[in-house]
Amino acid sequence: MARGSIVSAQSRTTSTLLSTLVARLSLSSVKCRIPFTRSQYLPSIRLFCKCSHAHAVEYLTDMTKYREAFSRRMAMAGLKPHHRIALGVSGGPDSMALCVLTAGWKTGGFNQNGEAGEFIDGLLAITVDHGLREESKEEANIVSHRVSDMGIRCEIVRCDWLDGRPKQGHLQEAARDMRYRLFQKVCIQHQIGVLLIAHHADDQAELFILRLSRNSGVLGLAGMAFSSQIFSSYAYSCHEDLKNHSILLVRPLLDFSKDDMYKICQGGNRDWVEDPTNRSPLFVRNRIRMSLGDLSSCSFKSELQAVISACRRTRSYVEHVCSNLINEAVTVMDQGYAVIDLEILNPSKIEDIFLSKFLALVLQFICQRQRPVRGSTSKLLLHYIRTFPCKTSLTAAGCYLCPTPGSRGTKALVCSSIDGPLPSKLELFQIHSDGEQRHCVPDVEQILEDAKSYSNHLIQDASDKLLLSMISDSVLTEAKRFNMLSESTYKNILLLQREEIKRFKLDSEVTSDSQLMHAVECVGTYPSIPLQPGQVCYFMNRFFVTWKLIKENGSRAFPREVHNDGGLGEDSWNEYCSSCLVGDEMVAELRHMIESDWLYLAKLSKGLSSGNLPLEREFIDEKTGQKVEKTNLCADYGRLSAKRAILSLKSIPVAARRSLPVLVSSHGQLLSIPVS
């Protein structure tokens, strides 16, 4: 069997709870990584607004409190002015306000205007030209000039829609997905580990109503996280260590209102862009924004924000509890599956909200899908995990759960299901070598560690006022009982919820046919892909697989049995086996392991002919210069390789084997399996 591949189990999850449990897997064989939706798009011209000097003077005194509040938020994220930071900048009031505050924080209030063409060190603005309107290129250039005038270096990146312009109903979210991909790419290219986004309190309020209408529980109603990790779809090799570097995404303006954004721009004497499409009722977020604008009383806003804050505190507490449970009861194996110790977990004693989140985190990590686990699936998982001892198997949320062999039902095995939804495409790319060290993003772990001391106060005791309900209506009822909501605010929120539910049902009826056309493909067999030496592939959303041919002498690989063969030079052994097993074209295919692979290994290990291995070949002995016939040379090599492969696979539960990547020839013959 061919040898020489490396596989790393990687994580794309935005949660950091499992960050210390990410497994890396090394394989000795030939080896080898999310889209969104909405309605009709209306072409329109963006309005470029300029604030007056009078307004700037009016709000000048307010800038001190904004800068102090911003500095506190940056400290909570573990960030210091010397860190290399990127900003997502569209040119609107939100992102321009972010530029004003970040530039002031970075420089301590000095040299914010880019005098003499100087840029602030370690600060980069990223402007994305989506290319969906004719004027978008010109607008991006205008935004770039405005940001540069603030002393912030700006890079414009343009979307390349390989599959054509996003279709109706998918425009906004497809653009968002593309935007974040480009953000990550630019950050990695510039060795930047932190990305700031200008989401604010009004965005949280819109998301709260949106998720309330979709019957989200308290964890969903908590909205966007203050900070999270996002993982690139590309691997980078630094000092021969294959890594999928994460970017720390921080939203430092979540405590600021939309009005604050305008005031900060005016206080910094900065222009901004107004996009008329943000007022189009065709988009759900716009409808909710306009409905919230009709309820603009200070009491309504403050009470709504109080409920959102309570939801966020609850989520922090739940994640804290789940983190402890994961550290105590979960073991993530090198081969990409997890084992849950049910005796340590004691699920019958854990409340639904904690156990549901715990299971969601584990399953999302294993299958590398970030879709929420809720509804009937969540209930099914709760029932399964609380049945002790574990005796049956279950396929749910892209994972396969079963009793761990030999545990007598005291442990549950969780592995990726090969019948789960597949990614829209498989990515193939080259490893970046040590000669491209500039692409290696600084580690964000130290920043995360520094943030812990500031986030401890968010971790509440069970005695605090936490909204521990998994049903949206119950969250509002609890908030009212805790006097967070007045009767009028409570009724207005319910009214907004009912209105959006009606609109959602109408939209669902209109787009149901379109959604069927874009349904996620589920198949029982993972598609194979060709792989050449030096290439890397992201496989089953779980493994980075690298093919590196290792010329290893047979006597070192199999010291006992091969030693007796004698009479064959090392170069001859290597040349013969790599040629006949992989083929002269040096191309193999990658797929998941299937039952016939195991049968093939069993047959090969017994010395039976595979039908593809040549039985004889003539070589020139380098020492004597004479011709030497070596009978069954490759059959011997294959037999010994198969024995070692079987021995390695026996340590992996059968259920987990099915999701392992294997290398096969163009005819489907097994060439390599992962070994640790």
Side-chain angles (χ1 to χ4, degrees):
M1 297 180 66
R3 308 192 70 248
S5 28
I6 300 171
V7 173
S8 294
Q10 298 286 338
S11 168
R12 293 177 74 184
T13 181
T14 57
S15 172
T16 61
L17 293 180
L18 283 170
S19 61
T20 59
L21 300 176
V22 177
R24 278 191 173 78
L25 171 58
S26 181
L27 293 109
S28 181
S29 330
V30 183
K31 284 292 165 254
C32 41
R33 179 190 167 322
I34 341 188
F36 301 83
T37 62
R38 201 92 288 148
S39 194
Q40 183 181 1
Y41 174 76
L42 294 177
S44 57
I45 299 175
R46 304 174 86 185
L47 305 179
F48 293 86
C49 302
K50 181 174 179 61
C51 61
S52 67
H53 178 70
H55 282 136
V57 173
E58 179 182 354
Y59 294 111
L60 186 61
T61 55
D62 291 336
M63 293 302 293
T64 300
K65 70 174 184 179
Y66 289 131
R67 290 184 180 126
E68 290 176 351
F70 183 80
S71 295
R72 288 194 296 271
R73 301 298 288 177
M74 296 294 276
M76 286 181 63
L79 297 176
K80 298 178 176 60
H82 71 269
H83 286 136
R84 295 175 61 80
I85 293 173
L87 311 172
V89 180
S90 66
D94 310 343
S95 59
M96 293 304 289
L98 180 63
C99 288
V100 170
L101 293 176
T102 308
W105 173 77
K106 264 276 192 180
T107 62
F110 300 100
N111 191 33
Q112 296 182 48
N113 297 318
E115 296 178 2
E118 294 182 359
F119 291 114
I120 300 171
D121 187 44
L123 188 60
L124 175 70
I126 307 173
T127 297
V128 176
D129 173 13
H130 295 92
L132 298 175
R133 293 178 294 113
E134 292 182 0
E135 60 272 20
S136 64
K137 182 177 180 180
E138 180 184 357
E139 292 170 359
N141 290 330
I142 293 174
V143 172
S144 178
H145 288 309
R146 290 179 175 177
V147 172
S148 297
D149 288 342
M150 301 172 66
I152 302 174
R153 183 178 285 101
C154 184
E155 180 168 332
I156 299 174
V157 287
R158 293 180 168 83
C159 297
D160 186 8
W161 301 101
L162 297 178
D163 298 326
R165 176 195 174 101
K167 301 190 185 297
Q168 280 188 356
H170 298 265
L171 180 64
Q172 279 194 332
E173 295 173 22
R176 178 192 179 278
D177 182 53
M178 176 68 77
R179 186 162 61 248
Y180 276 85
R181 288 190 184 192
L182 293 174
F183 284 159
Q184 293 178 58
K185 182 178 180 180
V186 173
C187 284
I188 291 173
Q189 289 174 345
H190 290 273
Q191 299 182 70
I192 295 175
V194 180
L195 173 67
L196 304 188
I197 299 297
H199 291 129
H200 49 76
D202 288 38
D203 293 324
Q204 288 282 58
E206 295 165 15
L207 186 57
F208 180 89
I209 299 300
L210 174 62
R211 292 184 173 177
L212 191 69
S213 67
R214 307 301 191 262
N215 200 33
S216 290
V218 63
L219 302 182
L221 295 177
M224 294 171 283
F226 169 63
S227 65
S228 57
Q229 283 178 273
I230 53 178
F231 289 82
S232 171
S233 59
Y234 298 94
Y236 295 87
S237 179
C238 299
H239 307 294
E240 300 182 353
D241 181 18
L242 184 64
K243 293 182 178 180
N244 179 19
H245 291 283
S246 69
I247 304 298
L248 182 64
L249 188 150
V250 180
R251 300 178 176 92
L253 303 182
L254 288 181
D255 288 340
F256 294 68
S257 68
K258 183 71 173 184
D259 288 341
D260 291 330
M261 301 297 103
Y262 289 114
K263 292 178 181 179
I264 292 168
C265 288
Q266 292 170 332
N269 195 28
R270 297 297 165 187
D271 302 339
W272 66 86
V273 172
E274 291 284 3
D275 190 344
T277 59
N278 288 336
R279 294 190 291 270
S280 170
L282 293 174
F283 302 116
V284 60
R285 293 292 291 262
N286 294 351
R287 294 200 305 262
I288 294 174
R289 186 181 305 123
M290 289 184 283
S291 297
L292 285 169
D294 296 334
L295 301 168
S296 57
S297 69
C298 292
S299 59
F300 176 85
K301 288 184 176 181
S302 62
E303 290 176 17
L304 179 56
Q305 290 300 326
V307 175
I308 296 173
S309 296
C311 291
R312 291 171 63 187
R313 291 195 302 272
T314 301
R315 182 171 63 186
S316 296
Y317 176 66
V318 170
E319 290 182 344
H320 174 70
V321 171
C322 290
S323 178
N324 292 335
L325 292 174
I326 288 169
N327 290 332
E328 294 170 1
V330 179
T331 302
V332 178
M333 310 303 291
D334 284 346
Q335 292 80 9
Y337 66 94
V339 175
I340 303 175
D341 193 316
L342 301 178
E343 289 183 315
I344 295 177
L345 182 64
N346 197 7
S348 63
K349 301 295 184 181
I350 303 175
E351 293 183 55
D352 285 1
I353 189 171
F354 299 104
L355 191 56
S356 294
K357 182 62 176 179
F358 166 84
L359 290 170
L361 287 170
V362 174
L363 268 63
Q364 287 173 336
F365 178 77
I366 293 301
C367 73
Q368 291 301 292
R369 293 168 57 211
Q370 297 314 304
R371 300 172 71 181
V373 181
R374 57 190 179 194
S376 58
T377 302
S378 181
K379 292 179 181 178
L380 189 64
L381 286 166
L382 285 174
H383 176 74
Y384 178 84
I385 208 70
R386 283 178 172 151
T387 302
F388 186 85
C390 178
K391 295 181 180 180
T392 61
S393 61
L394 173 68
T395 300
C399 288
Y400 178 80
L401 295 83
C402 66
T404 302
S407 69
R408 297 185 179 181
T410 61
K411 296 180 180 180
L413 183 147
V414 183
C415 64
S416 180
S417 171
I418 61 173
D419 297 320
L422 303 178
S424 57
K425 63 179 180 179
L426 298 171
E427 296 187 50
L428 205 63
F429 46 90
Q430 298 285 343
I431 302 180
H432 294 281
S433 65
D434 287 340
E436 299 182 53
Q437 287 289 316
R438 66 184 183 277
H439 292 314
C440 296
V441 178
D443 194 0
V444 301
E445 296 304 319
Q446 185 58 51
I447 296 175
L448 292 171
E449 193 66 29
D450 293 341
K452 284 185 178 180
S453 60
Y454 289 90
S455 61
N456 286 340
H457 70 280
L458 296 176
I459 307 303
Q460 308 295 310
D461 295 325
S463 59
D464 290 327
K465 295 180 179 179
L466 300 177
L467 308 178
L468 297 173
S469 175
M470 297 180 65
I471 304 174
S472 57
D473 290 342
S474 298
V475 171
L476 294 181
T477 302
E478 287 187 52
K480 184 181 176 183
R481 181 169 62 87
F482 287 140
N483 294 321
M484 296 179 188
L485 294 177
S486 64
E487 184 66 28
S488 61
T489 300
Y490 175 75
K491 291 181 178 179
N492 283 329
I493 293 176
L494 289 180
L495 180 61
L496 289 172
Q497 179 191 23
R498 286 194 292 268
E499 289 178 351
E500 186 52 41
I501 289 175
K502 291 179 182 178
R503 290 167 176 166
F504 177 65
K505 289 181 178 179
L506 290 174
D507 290 345
S508 298
E509 293 173 0
V510 172
T511 60
S512 58
D513 293 337
S514 174
Q515 288 174 347
L516 286 174
M517 293 176 62
H518 292 86
V520 180
E521 179 186 8
C522 296
V523 296
T525 303
Y526 206 87
S528 61
I529 54 175
L531 192 67
Q532 296 179 339
Q535 287 184 317
V536 179
C537 175
Y538 196 74
F539 182 77
M540 293 216 31
N541 271 1
R542 192 65 187 87
F543 298 104
F544 278 122
V545 187
T546 310
W547 180 4
K548 292 181 179 178
L549 286 178
I550 300 174
K551 290 189 175 181
E552 184 181 61
N553 174 254
S555 62
R556 291 197 300 269
F558 312 106
R560 293 185 179 178
E561 300 190 51
V562 176
H563 178 73
N564 295 328
D565 290 340
L568 181 64
E570 294 182 10
D571 293 339
S572 299
W573 176 280
N574 290 326
E575 176 188 355
Y576 188 69
C577 291
S578 64
S579 173
C580 68
L581 286 175
V582 181
D584 294 331
E585 69 276 11
M586 300 299 288
V587 175
E589 293 184 353
L590 183 70
R591 59 163 168 78
H592 67 77
M593 192 170 190
I594 57 179
E595 187 65 25
S596 61
D597 294 333
W598 180 263
L599 298 176
Y600 170 75
L601 287 174
K603 179 180 178 181
L604 191 60
S605 68
K606 296 176 181 179
L608 302 177
S609 174
S610 67
N612 291 327
L613 298 177
L615 298 179
E616 297 184 351
R617 191 167 176 178
E618 196 174 69
F619 292 97
I620 302 295
D621 190 311
E622 295 180 352
K623 295 180 180 179
T624 64
Q626 297 179 356
K627 293 183 179 181
V628 178
E629 282 191 0
K630 187 61 184 174
T631 305
N632 294 330
L633 176 62
C634 284
D636 287 342
Y637 185 88
R639 175 173 56 84
L640 298 174
S641 289
K643 283 185 177 181
R644 190 169 70 169
I646 290 175
L647 185 63
S648 174
L649 287 172
K650 282 183 177 180
S651 65
I652 305 172
V654 175
R657 290 179 205 158
R658 291 195 292 264
S659 62
L660 287 177
V662 296
L663 191 73
V664 299
S665 69
S666 57
H667 304 292
Q669 175 183 301
L670 182 67
L671 297 177
S672 176
I673 60 100
V675 294
S676 55

